[in-house]
Amino acid sequence: MRNLWLKLHLYAGLICFPYFIIFGISSLHINHAFSFMEPAQQATLWQKQLRIPNIHDDQQLADQIRDSLGLMGWAPWWEQERGPDVYTFMVTHAGTEYRVKAFLQQNKVEVEEKRKGFWPVLNSLHFLGEEIPGAPLLINSWKFYQDFSVVVMLFSIVSGVYIFLNRTKERLFGLILLGSCLGISFLYMLYVWLGE
Amino acid sequence: MAGRIKIYHVVRKIHLYTAFTLIGFVGMYFITGFILAHGQWFTPATSTVITHPYKLTISATMSAADLSVYLQDTFSIQAKRLEPTIKNDTTVFEYIKPGRYYQIKVPMDRTTALLRIEKHNLVRTLIGFHRMHGYGGGWLYNIYVVMMDLASIATILFSLTGIYLWYKLIRQKSWGLLLLAVSISYTMLVIYLFMNR
């Protein structure tokens, strides 16, 4: 039985190894705002002839142009601005930010593309909450992998304690350490919450 | 041979005792993270709000930072102090902790203060545990953030020491190598796609 739990503990950990590393690094960044996590600022500019549909709803128009250009990402409403001849909006995801200028009469779009870089992408994989419009299945599957990793971490905690308790040599010391650290952590969190 | 056995035992002890020491915070982060990610599966995160105006008698020369501490003491607020901000000629002082959010608005003349207290329900409180970060705001909360940092380092440490332990423990390594290769390749491919789309 112990061997089975050990193998499950090991192999589940191997599957989730990349996510745990990403989680650790990105969590440290939350408290320390590492400068290397800042998005790169270099931008490239390109244009494309595109039939701009006659849509009055700004969100629908942004989504339609995004899909026609084959871009992936969200088009936030607060970055949309419509003028008489030009409609500007942003399409963004963890790796890239596109500022799109659609020239409504000329059926042309101008796109400023900023690639954020490796570290901002890695940082964003801490949490991917919803499907990204226009993204391939491989990217949108990440949220299932992150959920699975959460379950594996909790399983690893339980299975790790079980595996340990099955060895008699360090059991007493381990139990004292586990019990006291768990108790202190719990009481501390309780005090942070309820202390008035 | 003796040296290798010693390294194995050292690495095992690091894996084991790091886990035991930080099990509370690591477990808390993953459980509350799951609740944060899947809020729609749980009771909605809500708050009840109480507001109350007060009169103030304070020096006009007191700095915003000192005033933040003064207000915290005056109203007996036990929570993490945030940096004061200014909005529309009003200084906004904020204090947070899991389960509570305090906001005090003090206009430029500093004669009054509007205290707003938000009391969170259990779901929102648990999310509050996950979201509390950033040093500063009192020693009690700095300890919390230190524990958060240690839990983050521990997650990396578990993973790296875990790889070593698997390699040493399991004779037939092909399944493990396959799982590791697949998981790393999948992750690198996701990162590649994000960087190039």
Side-chain angles (χ1 to χ4, degrees):
Chain A
M1 190 66 176
R2 182 182 183 270
N3 271 342
L4 175 64
W5 279 75
L6 179 61
K7 282 190 172 147
L8 287 173
H9 182 98
L10 285 170
Y11 290 131
L14 290 176
I15 296 170
C16 299
F17 167 77
Y19 182 77
F20 293 153
I21 298 290
I22 286 170
F23 180 85
I25 295 172
S26 55
S27 299
L28 284 169
H29 172 62
I30 288 171
N31 281 331
H32 299 280
F34 300 128
S35 57
F36 62 81
M37 289 283 195
E38 290 297 310
Q41 292 304 312
Q42 248 181 330
T44 54
L45 206 62
W46 50 272
Q47 295 182 354
K48 190 170 183 179
Q49 291 296 129
L50 187 74
R51 198 190 143 271
I52 312 288
N54 186 17
I55 297 174
H56 295 295
D57 184 283
D58 286 354
Q59 190 63 58
Q60 278 183 25
L61 181 59
D63 292 346
Q64 182 87 316
I65 295 173
R66 175 201 62 211
D67 294 342
S68 300
L69 290 172
L71 303 179
M72 101 182 174
W74 297 278
W77 59 267
W78 56 89
E79 296 285 352
Q80 296 164 7
E81 200 178 317
R82 193 193 279 256
D85 300 315
V86 179
Y87 173 59
T88 55
F89 62 97
M90 184 199 286
V91 177
T92 184
H93 63 76
T96 313
E97 186 181 281
Y98 303 95
R99 292 214 170 260
V100 183
K101 220 181 251 186
F103 297 91
L104 303 170
Q105 311 307 325
Q106 298 163 49
N107 283 322
K108 181 179 82 169
V109 293
E110 199 174 84
V111 180
E112 183 194 71
E113 183 178 306
K114 270 190 200 170
R115 299 235 175 243
K116 296 178 189 175
F118 173 80
W119 289 110
V121 169
L122 184 131
N123 187 49
S124 71
L125 294 179
H126 177 109
F127 175 63
L128 200 62
E130 45 185 273
E131 278 192 18
I132 301 176
L137 181 64
L138 205 66
I139 282 184
N140 283 329
S141 66
W142 182 263
K143 65 181 176 151
F144 299 109
Y145 179 61
Q146 91 196 358
D147 278 353
F148 177 72
S149 299
V150 169
V151 172
V152 163
M153 175 54 83
L154 298 174
F155 167 77
S156 298
I157 289 172
V158 173
S159 58
V161 172
Y162 173 82
I163 291 162
F164 167 77
L165 288 177
N166 263 268
R167 277 173 69 124
T168 52
K169 204 174 169 189
E170 302 152 292
R171 195 184 285 168
L172 181 62
F173 175 71
L175 278 173
I176 291 170
L177 182 65
L178 178 64
S180 49
C181 290
L182 203 52
I184 290 170
S185 299
F186 181 69
L187 287 172
Y188 170 72
M189 284 189 244
L190 215 57
Y191 182 70
V192 167
W193 176 20
L194 297 173
E196 285 283 355
Chain B
M1 182 70 172
R4 269 184 273 160
I5 292 170
K6 198 174 176 184
I7 292 171
Y8 171 82
H9 286 300
V10 167
V11 172
R12 183 182 164 274
K13 280 187 162 53
I14 291 172
H15 189 93
L16 189 61
Y17 296 128
T18 309
F20 278 12
T21 312
L22 293 163
I23 193 173
F25 272 80
V26 173
M28 180 273 290
Y29 274 114
F30 277 81
I31 292 170
T32 56
F34 191 82
I35 294 171
L36 181 60
H38 296 285
Q40 70 276 18
W41 294 358
F42 302 91
T43 314
T46 57
S47 315
T48 53
V49 179
I50 304 165
T51 53
H52 202 286
Y54 291 92
K55 283 197 177 346
L56 283 182
T57 313
I58 47 171
S59 162
T61 56
M62 193 187 280
S63 68
D66 289 342
L67 184 52
S68 182
V69 176
Y70 171 80
L71 291 169
Q72 187 173 18
D73 290 340
T74 302
F75 295 110
S76 302
I77 295 172
Q78 185 169 322
K80 178 182 163 74
R81 274 191 312 278
L82 301 183
E83 283 294 313
T85 53
I86 296 176
K87 286 174 190 166
N88 303 324
D89 292 337
T90 300
T91 310
V92 181
F93 301 90
E94 294 172 294
Y95 312 84
I96 56 163
K97 69 171 185 176
R100 288 280 192 284
Y101 166 76
Y102 302 86
Q103 182 195 75
I104 305 175
K105 285 184 177 174
V106 177
M108 290 296 265
D109 61 12
R110 293 186 169 187
T111 55
T112 56
L114 182 66
L115 172 63
R116 174 191 170 95
I117 305 174
E118 286 182 19
K119 296 183 182 183
H120 302 159
N121 68 349
L122 180 61
V123 169
R124 197 160 171 189
T125 297
L126 291 172
I127 291 171
F129 273 108
H130 191 92
R131 281 194 153 153
M132 203 157 79
H133 64 270
Y135 287 94
W139 64 268
L140 186 67
Y141 307 99
N142 283 341
I143 292 174
Y144 192 93
V145 180
V146 167
M147 295 307 292
M148 182 184 183
D149 273 349
L150 289 175
S152 307
I153 293 167
T155 313
I156 298 169
L157 217 53
F158 295 152
S159 309
L160 296 174
T161 53
I163 296 272
Y164 177 87
L165 293 172
W166 154 73
Y167 192 79
K168 287 294 176 186
L169 274 172
I170 302 291
R171 207 179 284 175
Q172 179 57 267
K173 299 186 202 320
S174 42
W175 280 112
L177 283 169
L178 180 65
L179 290 173
L180 203 53
V182 167
S183 64
I184 292 175
S185 303
Y186 167 69
T187 303
M188 294 313 294
L189 199 51
V190 168
I191 293 174
Y192 174 82
L193 285 173
F194 266 119
M195 289 177 69
N196 291 283
R197 281 284 308 258

